Amino acid sequence: MSSIVKDVTVPAAPDAVFDAFTSSAGLMSFFAPFAIVEPVVGGRYHLDFTVTGADDGEEPDDDTVCRIQALEPGRLVVSFANPPLGPRPIPHKTLTIIVSPDRDHGVDGARVRIEHGPFSDAEALLERWWVRAWATILARLVKRWKSGPIAWA
């Protein structure tokens, strides 16, 4: 079993970066064109990459929605659902997002660490997909603060 661990420095205040991971509007500014976040333990954490904008998003069914497992200042843990990719369902993964001050950038810098997994040896293809996806998502997060939110539509 292995997990993906990625770190990135974001040129923004840690609280603002954490808010981007814990609100629908924040996630739609860099992560996906449609998101539903209920920022409480047990709340929904839904991302839809298949739409062109927030107006096209639909309510998810409960079988495919991610759920917040833990939420405290600077730390978010989500039970991450995976879409069915073949005949066998893919077990949920745990996504942990930790946002802390980045001393290299003073008070306006944030360090973001994501931990996503575990992935079994049989899930190597899915893990490789998520490694590439996280590189893109975290690059978009940095770009969001350098040049503004993504205009999906």
Side-chain angles (χ1 to χ4, degrees), residues 16-99:
V17 175
F18 189 68
D19 287 347
F21 280 103
T22 57
S23 70
S24 299
L27 285 173
M28 290 188 290
S29 75
F30 77 95
F31 203 125
F34 182 72
I36 297 171
V37 178
E38 297 167 347
V40 296
V41 172
R44 295 183 297 170
Y45 198 87
H46 175 71
L47 303 159
D48 191 338
F49 301 95
T50 65
V51 298
T52 57
D55 294 339
D56 299 329
E58 296 180 5
E59 287 286 323
D61 61 37
D62 278 346
D63 293 337
T64 61
V65 73
C66 305
R67 296 282 175 184
I68 294 175
Q69 293 179 321
L71 179 63
E72 56 194 61
R75 184 173 174 271
L76 169 69
V77 180
V78 176
S79 175
F80 212 81
N82 288 288
L85 301 172
R88 292 188 347 240
I90 298 170
H92 284 219
K93 305 299 175 204
T94 299
L95 170 63
T96 302
I97 301 165
I98 301 168
V99 180

